[in-house]
């Protein structure tokens, strides 16, 4: 008997997640100096992390011999205050990705369907397949807009989860609060809407689904400290939802799924409002800088509102390779069915300028 024959079926159908390559790996592979490499591949914060969050993490490191508070009391208390919700409406995850997996443990099994858009965040599909459930992928509308009416129309009696992100990744486009409310109200009572807000802090005004929670809609909202808060390496995210839903997700979680270091950093990051505002402003400027630059190069791009843009470059993988040889790591989105496009994270002003210059050189007819 082979291991493959012994393994659970869902594991074998897992597509392999291809993360943005780490700088050191690219340096090794191409014989480049890591100091000269810029990574604009994983939507990380080019401005680093809040110094207050890092100081809190260092303090927490002093007690590394102790298990964390597995209830994450301080973080949930801080979140409850921020959102004006009950502490029992929050669950903390090892990144918000873990919470997607916890939803799988709690709600997915063979025979169940999960509805999502084509070219949506790959983890939705990975988790669906891992639990033997069936992903149902809904086509995007013109201009790579997410079509929430089509999403609602794809729901069947077998649907358990509907995944939606706004801004979406990798496409970057948003849906209005009105559209999302309409979707939530259209879903039948056997369906949970998983609203992924990984990039919500980059918006001037993010959709607020708390009134829908209050009216008893089945919704869970996912947030992360990996993006605007700049703590991707520490792995911490959270979700808020009706307390009955949170109680079930809590059961699927390991007792100490997030380190005390990460949770302390998260509390301090929430308090550093200035850092977040600064990052939001710089990101806006970066989106404009990149968008104007793409337009000048006569490249079509999607007017995304996260901390990244999708730009149409022809052969996405070839341009990705050429940029990488020049020390710029970006993300080809061919695995998402978008072979002509490249996803570029917003960097610092200098990094954005270098990306645009290098892109011009790579695309110039020789
Ligand atoms: C980056 C991202 C996340 C966050 O993942 P973490 O596990 O919190 O690092 C979640 N959803 C989407 C769509 C993302 O792009």
């Amino acid at each position: 008997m082979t291991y493959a024959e012994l393994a659970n079926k869902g594991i074998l159908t897992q597509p392999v997640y291809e993360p943005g390559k780490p700088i050191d790996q690219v340096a090794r592979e191409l014989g480049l100096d890591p100091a000269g490499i810029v990574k604009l591949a994983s939507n990380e914060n080019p401005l680093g992390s809040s110094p207050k969050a890092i100081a809190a993490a260092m303090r927490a490191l002093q007690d590394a011999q102790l298990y964390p508070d597995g209830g994450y009391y301080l973080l949930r208390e801080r979140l409850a205050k921020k959102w004006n919700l009950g502490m029992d409406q929050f669950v903390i995850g090892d990144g918000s990705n873990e919470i997607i997996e916890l939803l799988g443990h709690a709600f997915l099994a063979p025979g169940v369907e999960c509805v999502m858009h084509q070219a949506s965040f790959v983890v939705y599909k990975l988790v669906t397949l891992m639990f033997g459930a069936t992903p149902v992928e809904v086509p995007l509308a013109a201009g790579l807009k997410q079509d929430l009416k089509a999403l609602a129309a794809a729901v069947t009696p077998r649907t358990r989860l509907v995944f939606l992100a706004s801004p979406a990744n990798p496409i970057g486009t948003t849906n209005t609060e009105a559209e999302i409310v309409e979707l939530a109200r259209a879903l039948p009572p056997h369906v949970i809407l998983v609203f992924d807000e990984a990039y919500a802090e980059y918006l001037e005004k993010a959709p607020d689904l708390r009134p829908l929670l209050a009216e008893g809609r089945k919704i869970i909202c996912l947030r992360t400290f990996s993006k605007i808060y700049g703590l991707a390496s520490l792995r911490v995210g959270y979700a808020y939802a009706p307390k009955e839903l949170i109680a079930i997700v809590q059961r699927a979680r390991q007792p100490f799924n997030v380190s005390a270091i990460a949770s302390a950093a998260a509390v301090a990051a929430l308090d550093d409002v200035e850092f977040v505002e600064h990052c939001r402003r710089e990101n806006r400027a970066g989106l404009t800088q990149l968008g104007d630059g793409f337009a000048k190069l006569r490249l079509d791009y999607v007017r995304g509102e996260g901390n990244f843009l999708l730009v149409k470059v022809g052969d996405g993988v070839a341009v990705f390779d050429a940029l990488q040889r020049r020390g710029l790591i970006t993300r080809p989105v061919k695995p998402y069915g978008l072979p002509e496009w490249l996803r570029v994270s917003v960097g610092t002003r200098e990094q954005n300028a270098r990306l645009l210059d290098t892109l011009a050189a790579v695309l110039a007819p020789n």
Side-chain angles (χ1 to χ4, degrees):
M1 267 222 162
T2 65
Y3 290 111
E5 284 165 331
L6 296 171
N8 294 334
K9 228 174 131 239
I11 286 293
L12 299 175
T13 51
Q14 281 282 290
V16 178
Y17 177 71
E18 283 184 45
K21 278 195 191 179
I23 288 175
D24 282 338
Q25 185 186 339
V26 171
R28 268 195 310 275
E29 286 176 5
L30 298 177
L32 299 172
D33 176 6
I37 296 179
V38 170
K39 186 181 175 202
L40 300 174
S42 302
N43 303 343
E44 293 147 333
N45 193 330
L47 305 174
S49 330
S50 152
K52 291 178 184 155
I54 298 309
M58 303 278 257
R59 280 194 301 277
L61 198 51
Q62 306 296 314
D63 289 323
Q65 79 284 8
L66 300 176
Y67 279 103
D69 164 18
Y72 303 103
Y73 188 92
L74 291 177
L75 180 52
R76 286 189 305 120
E77 183 184 53
R78 181 67 186 77
L79 289 167
K81 197 169 115 208
K82 174 182 165 72
W83 291 107
N84 197 22
L85 294 168
M87 274 181 70
D88 53 3
Q89 292 189 263
F90 291 88
V91 62
I92 311 302
D94 185 26
S96 58
N97 278 329
E98 191 204 14
I99 301 175
I100 301 173
E101 185 182 338
L102 298 180
L103 289 167
H105 281 291
F107 296 107
L108 300 183
V112 160
E113 293 173 355
C114 295
V115 173
M116 61 198 76
H117 277 109
Q118 272 173 7
S120 63
F121 188 46
V122 71
V123 175
Y124 310 151
K125 190 162 34 172
L126 295 182
V127 167
T128 303
L129 292 170
M130 175 143 50
F131 291 95
T134 307
V136 174
E137 295 185 85
V138 172
L140 294 165
L144 301 183
K145 271 291 265 179
Q146 301 193 113
D147 184 347
L148 303 201
K149 289 208 165 63
L151 212 56
V155 168
T156 74
R158 290 177 300 281
T159 307
R160 193 61 47 86
L161 303 178
V162 171
F163 288 102
L164 175 69
S166 179
N169 175 23
I171 54 180
T173 51
T174 55
N175 292 94
T176 65
E177 182 174 286
E179 285 175 313
I180 299 165
V181 168
E182 188 185 332
L183 167 70
R185 296 216 169 112
L187 296 176
H190 65 277
V191 173
I192 301 167
L193 175 61
V194 183
F195 184 49
D196 186 340
E197 305 186 89
Y199 302 97
E201 292 86 0
Y202 288 106
L203 303 176
E204 294 307 330
K205 193 184 171 310
D208 181 359
L209 303 195
R210 286 173 296 167
L212 290 170
L213 299 186
E215 69 182 57
R217 299 286 161 194
K218 292 195 176 71
I219 298 174
I220 184 165
C221 298
L222 310 180
R223 293 257 175 168
T224 182
F225 289 94
S226 299
K227 304 288 157 57
I228 208 163
Y229 294 105
L231 299 174
S233 175
L234 293 185
R235 312 302 305 127
V236 53
Y238 66 97
Y240 55 101
K243 64 177 197 289
E244 297 78 10
L245 172 48
I246 292 295
I248 289 176
V249 177
Q250 292 281 19
R251 285 168 171 265
R253 167 176 88 75
Q254 293 282 326
F256 305 108
N257 58 329
V258 173
S259 74
I261 300 156
S263 63
V267 172
L270 288 169
D271 286 333
D272 197 347
V273 177
E274 240 169 72
F275 176 77
V276 171
E277 304 252 294
H278 173 62
C279 293
R280 184 185 300 124
R281 272 195 308 272
E282 286 296 309
N283 186 68
R284 282 269 139 208
L287 286 174
T288 305
Q289 183 187 4
L290 285 176
D292 289 352
F294 295 149
K296 211 176 266 172
L297 293 172
R298 300 186 178 287
L299 296 174
D300 194 8
Y301 69 99
V302 179
R303 278 155 188 73
E305 297 191 60
N307 64 344
F308 56 91
L309 286 177
L310 210 54
V311 56
K312 198 172 191 179
V313 293
D315 183 341
V317 173
V319 174
F320 156 79
D321 276 330
L323 289 170
Q324 190 162 265
R325 281 195 300 276
R326 291 164 170 84
L328 282 156
I329 315 174
T330 58
R331 192 68 155 267
V333 283
K334 188 175 174 196
Y336 289 87
L338 300 166
E340 297 175 301
W341 299 80
L342 205 59
R343 193 191 69 190
V344 178
S345 305
V346 174
T348 61
R349 289 166 198 218
E350 297 72 36
Q351 291 171 341
N352 298 335
R354 177 168 158 200
L355 182 274
L356 290 168
D357 287 346
T358 313
L359 194 56
V362 162
L363 293 174
N366 37 26

